Amino acid sequence: MALTVISAKYPPHIDPSKTPLAYGDRALPRLNRELQDANLLTRQRAVMSLCDHLHDPENIAEALKVGIAESLKKLLTDQDITVRQKSTECLFVIGTHAIGREAFLEHKIIPPVAKLFDDKVDIARKNAHKAIEMIAETPQGASGIVEADLIGTLVSKLKSEVDEIKLLILDTLHFCMRVDTTKALNADAMTVFTSLLKHKDSAIRAKAARDIMDLSAPLAGKNKAVEVNAVPELVKLLTDSAPDVKANAAGALMIITITTKGKYTALEAKAIAPLVTLVDDSTSEVCANALKALTCLSEAPEGRRTLLEHVGKIKVHQKDPIPAVARAADIAVKVIEWKP
């Protein structure tokens, strides 16, 4: 289902013309001065010209050298929405490059960008989340977000934000949970992710299931998934029409069912039948994750007895052309046919 698209059009009373650029290496120093000008129209024109100028990667390093990162940081609190919108867009473009991500951390730009999560204008919030998500894609950036104590805020925003921004938040949390899961668990992220498994949009369902998989890596996360009844909801998603939803749901179950409590919760939710069906799925990731989840379930005597009836179907995939699927099938067959 299509999401509502946040418009990036400027207000009708705003002059969209850009400031004329100076020649050569004078362009960025002049733009930097104009970003700090007291005249609103001058700031608007400068930030709009800068945004276009930064799309050429060669200009990123020079922009940072002349102090544009600090100027943009100050503009994040500007009273004018166009200035705030374009400033966050500029920071997003800067964040797409390694040197720009380093500048985010060096100039402590993450906290002021995060303040725009509460902006009353959708496009300003969207650009702020785009910038933060881009920074989160590196371990250093994700650590910076965690250290800025933004995980609780991000989890909270999942309850109220528009769907387009929810997708960005789920991606940001995905990267952040690679470096730290404790704060997400403390913020009750597992409950929020589980609630999103019922969302009408398949992209949100897929990302929510993926984030449950991330958060279930530690033992506390696996136990929390069982506690908040995430397992039955994940089992329902095994019959979803979207391949990435099925793959991530099976992946999450694969992680949760490592524990005895997780195994028996999944067995009670009747996970075996849909997982066996997914073994023949045309998407290799779905097939591999289903096989791994079945391997975990077969470690329980009740699961092994049931799966012995289906082991022939699994053996077929031992010769699968995809190495990951063939390897998962080999392991599954060994565990299912194991005898004490």
Side-chain angles (χ1 to χ4, degrees), residues 31-106:
L31 282 176
N32 193 36
R33 288 194 302 273
E34 293 179 346
L35 290 175
Q36 304 167 53
D37 198 282
N39 183 274
L40 173 59
L41 186 56
T42 300
R43 295 199 306 277
Q44 288 173 343
R45 287 175 169 173
V47 76
M48 292 174 76
S49 290
L50 175 65
C51 196
D52 286 347
H53 204 56
L54 291 176
H55 277 86
D56 183 344
E58 294 182 1
N59 294 323
I60 300 286
E62 182 61 26
L64 296 174
K65 192 181 297 182
V66 301
I68 276 178
E70 279 294 333
S71 297
L72 290 171
K73 180 179 175 181
K74 293 174 183 175
L75 291 182
L76 293 173
T77 57
D78 199 282
Q79 292 299 306
D80 181 69
I81 176 54
T82 302
V83 173
R84 296 198 306 277
Q85 171 189 339
K86 297 305 287 187
S87 295
T88 50
E89 188 175 338
C90 286
L91 287 169
F92 164 70
V93 175
I94 288 173
T96 60
H97 299 274
I99 190 173
R101 291 190 283 269
E102 291 173 6
F104 256 77
L105 300 175
E106 180 185 345

Side-chain angles (χ1 to χ4, degrees), residues 48-332:
M48 292 174 76
S49 290
L50 175 65
C51 196
D52 286 347
H53 204 56
L54 291 176
H55 277 86
D56 183 344
E58 294 182 1
N59 294 323
I60 300 286
E62 182 61 26
L64 296 174
K65 192 181 297 182
V66 301
I68 276 178
E70 279 294 333
S71 297
L72 290 171
K73 180 179 175 181
K74 293 174 183 175
L75 291 182
L76 293 173
T77 57
D78 199 282
Q79 292 299 306
D80 181 69
I81 176 54
T82 302
V83 173
R84 296 198 306 277
Q85 171 189 339
K86 297 305 287 187
S87 295
T88 50
E89 188 175 338
C90 286
L91 287 169
F92 164 70
V93 175
I94 288 173
T96 60
H97 299 274
I99 190 173
R101 291 190 283 269
E102 291 173 6
F104 256 77
L105 300 175
E106 180 185 345
H107 295 280
K108 297 180 171 47
I109 295 175
I110 291 174
V113 170
K115 287 183 179 178
L116 291 182
F117 291 171
D118 294 320
D119 200 284
K120 63 181 182 294
V121 180
D122 286 355
I123 187 61
R125 298 200 311 278
K126 178 186 174 183
N127 284 347
H129 279 289
K130 282 176 65 179
I132 292 297
E133 188 275 335
M134 183 57 64
I135 298 306
E137 292 187 13
T138 64
Q140 297 86 351
S143 295
I145 293 168
V146 172
E147 289 165 10
D149 205 22
L150 293 179
I151 301 303
T153 300
L154 289 165
V155 171
S156 177
K157 291 297 181 185
L158 278 176
K159 303 174 187 177
S160 57
E161 265 298 359
V162 297
D163 291 348
E164 193 175 347
I165 294 177
K166 276 189 176 82
L167 292 168
L168 295 167
I169 296 173
L170 287 167
D171 283 341
T172 301
L173 288 169
H174 165 61
F175 294 118
C176 289
M177 287 187 292
R178 288 181 173 181
V179 299
D180 183 276
T181 55
T182 305
K183 291 192 176 183
L185 280 169
N186 292 341
D188 202 23
M190 189 65 80
T191 300
V192 179
F193 295 155
T194 301
S195 70
L196 292 176
L197 295 178
K198 301 176 183 178
H199 198 278
K200 60 185 178 181
D201 185 73
S202 62
I204 289 179
R205 295 198 301 275
K207 290 178 187 290
R210 177 202 60 192
D211 284 10
I212 287 176
M213 180 166 38
D214 296 331
L215 195 51
S216 298
L219 177 60
K222 296 177 180 65
N223 291 337
K224 190 68 176 179
V226 172
E227 180 187 322
V228 303
N229 294 316
V231 173
E233 295 302 325
L234 289 167
V235 171
K236 292 176 185 175
L237 292 186
L238 296 176
T239 56
D240 199 278
S241 59
D244 52 347
V245 174
K246 292 186 288 188
N248 291 340
L253 289 170
M254 166 189 75
I255 298 293
I256 296 167
T257 54
I258 289 174
T259 67
T260 301
K261 188 185 296 184
K263 286 178 177 56
Y264 283 96
T265 303
L267 289 171
E268 288 172 11
K270 304 188 182 330
I272 287 182
L275 284 170
V276 169
T277 300
L278 292 185
V279 166
D280 293 330
D281 197 273
S282 58
T283 303
S284 60
E285 186 180 1
V286 174
C287 182
N289 285 352
L291 286 166
K292 292 173 184 177
L294 289 171
T295 301
C296 290
L297 292 176
S298 68
E299 292 173 350
E302 297 86 344
R304 182 177 292 112
R305 281 196 294 271
T306 302
L307 284 167
L308 280 170
E309 301 172 10
H310 303 284
V311 73
K313 185 174 186 177
I314 295 173
K315 283 182 176 179
V316 171
H317 291 279
Q318 288 180 295
K319 297 181 180 179
D320 196 281
I322 306 296
V325 173
R327 187 164 53 250
D330 278 336
I331 296 171

